[in-house]
Amino acid sequence: MNPGTRKPGSLPFAGDRFHARTVRVKAPGKVNVSLSVGPLRPDGYHSVASVYLAVSLYEEVAATSTEGTGITVSISPDSTLDLDGVDIPLDERNLAYKAAAIMAEVSEKPTGVHLEITKRVPVAGGMGGGSADAAATLLACDALWNSGLSREELAHLAAELGADVPFSLLGGTAVGLGVGDKLSPALAKAQMDWVLVFADYGLSTPDVFRTLDGLRDSEGADIPEPVAVDPTILQALRHGDPETLSRVLINDLQRASITLAPQLRDTIGLGEARGALAGMVSGSGPTIALLARDSVSASVLAEELTHRGHTAVAVHGPVPGARIISDTLL
């Protein structure tokens, strides 16, 4: 069914009088517990085989209806990230803006909307923060405009916005194939504890992929297309076995990220020396994900790294995907 054919319910109008309404949604960042990357394809993309884990570090989007049809975006002062010097576009280049625009196209009677984003997931940090914003916006605008889309229909729209957006809607644990958009939920609900170490800079995902391609070209490596993930990883996640998981973590992008930012190697080494079972670059980086034995170990490690001058936070996963946390008529 075309999403735009569904009949909306009530809209924030009473006769000719407009009543603003705010829908607030939170959506999780993610860690790539495994990430195998295939060769550069003719279309400019790379096939991947990855295990995504949604973790307890959330973006929030408050979508407020406005008169007219315009879309505006702002960053909340409640954001926990240090955004000094960080260039976050607040126009049509912003992924949340794009999500609102695509929802407006498929909704019968969209209003204008203001999106206030509370940033907690590092920008350009390899954790899908922008994708979480987009997923939260899709769900918020669906509720705000009473579009009545199913999760499946929202996931289809999410895939048009980027490979990580459907997973932020889904949450939990999932296997991603194709360019990461072909998702299969994994039966892995046991809690795993991590410490995330944030950098005070970002890495461009396209730059990291280009660096990986260059490294492989220089080696003359024959890289196969990834078609599956290591079942040992899924078994370890299913059984809540961090010891086994620590031995099978893989990220093909890690060496490219370290080539661009060699200091990441030192951060991983420090984390492992201070008790982490294993450390890895999350996605394209530069966020480092350190696997801990349990929640107590994670808290102790995060505190120690913080005392050593790093920005570190203990998180756990899997957690649910995007969900509405409030819906208020103003």
Side-chain angles (χ1 to χ4, degrees), residues 207-233:
D207 285 350
V208 174
F209 274 95
R210 279 192 292 268
T211 300
L212 177 63
D213 293 335
L215 290 170
R216 288 173 168 178
D217 288 344
S218 68
E219 298 164 350
D222 184 16
I223 307 300
E225 289 284 341
V227 295
V229 300
D230 183 349
T232 305
I233 293 173

Side-chain angles (χ1 to χ4, degrees), residues 196-199 305-306 309-313:
L196 303 176
V197 186
F198 306 145
L305 292 175
T306 299
H310 293 275
T311 302
V313 60

Side-chain angles (χ1 to χ4, degrees), residues 39 90 162 190 207 212 241 245 250 259 290 297:
L90 302 179
D207 285 350
L212 177 63
D241 182 356
L245 184 62
I250 181 174
T259 297
L290 301 169
S297 299

Side-chain angles (χ1 to χ4, degrees), residues 110-136:
T111 64
V113 64
H114 177 71
L115 306 173
E116 184 183 57
I117 305 173
T118 304
K119 298 293 298 179
R120 298 189 182 97
V121 177
V123 177
M127 290 189 62
S131 296
D133 296 338

